Amino acid sequence: HVQLVESGGGSVQAGGSLRLFCAASGNTYWPYCMAWFRQSPGKEREVVAKSNSDGHTSYADDVRGRATISQDNARNSLTLQMNSLKPEDTAMYYCALTGGYCPSRWTEYSFWGQGTQVTVS
């Protein structure tokens, strides 16, 4: 059974940086996809960045160039480095995992963490 636990959120001033961590356990899928999503009040959950087990990464247009997603070689953690943060980055950030290659919609991901709040002022 896959479990995901996020950490690293917090409050930061605009222009600052944060690093989010997702500790994964119980993953036996191969290939698999891990991703960061975010959701702010009244908005649909949206993808921030995705990382396949083959190393391929992709980013949402509004974070490309400001975000870096990475996995460790043991497949047990996912990191999101966010720089030049903007107030519109304020949201609850979620780590997700699913078997196979990265789907587009959040509804297609099988496993989710509880989320970590990022607030940019």
Side-chain angles (χ1 to χ4, degrees):
H1 180 69
V2 175
Q3 290 188 310
L4 304 171
V5 179
E6 303 98 332
S7 61
S11 297
V12 64
Q13 291 187 336
S17 298
L18 278 178
R19 182 171 292 182
L20 306 182
F21 298 94
C22 174
S25 60
N27 178 28
T28 59
Y29 291 98
W30 190 273
Y32 66 92
C33 175
M34 294 187 76
W36 286 99
F37 285 79
R38 64 186 180 188
Q39 188 169 21
S40 50
K43 293 188 176 181
E44 186 175 4
R45 192 167 296 191
E46 62 179 11
V47 68
V48 178
K50 298 181 280 189
S51 177
N52 269 334
S53 47
D54 62 4
H56 178 74
T57 59
S58 62
Y59 297 89
D61 288 342
D62 57 355
V63 303
R64 188 175 294 111
R66 300 190 295 121
T68 302
I69 189 172
S70 59
Q71 294 187 44
D72 78 351
N73 292 334
R75 305 187 292 168
N76 60 6
S77 70
L78 183 73
T79 300
L80 180 70
Q81 175 71 39
M82 292 279 292
N83 301 320
S84 303
L85 284 160
K86 306 174 182 179
E88 49 265 44
D89 293 318
T90 296
M92 185 71 79
Y93 283 68
Y94 297 92
C95 175
L97 184 150
T98 197
Y101 291 98
C102 290
S104 299
R105 290 191 54 77
W106 69 270
T107 53
E108 299 175 83
Y109 286 76
S110 300
F111 304 99
W112 292 87
Q114 81 289 349
T116 185
Q117 178 68 38
V118 172
T119 302
V120 185
S121 59

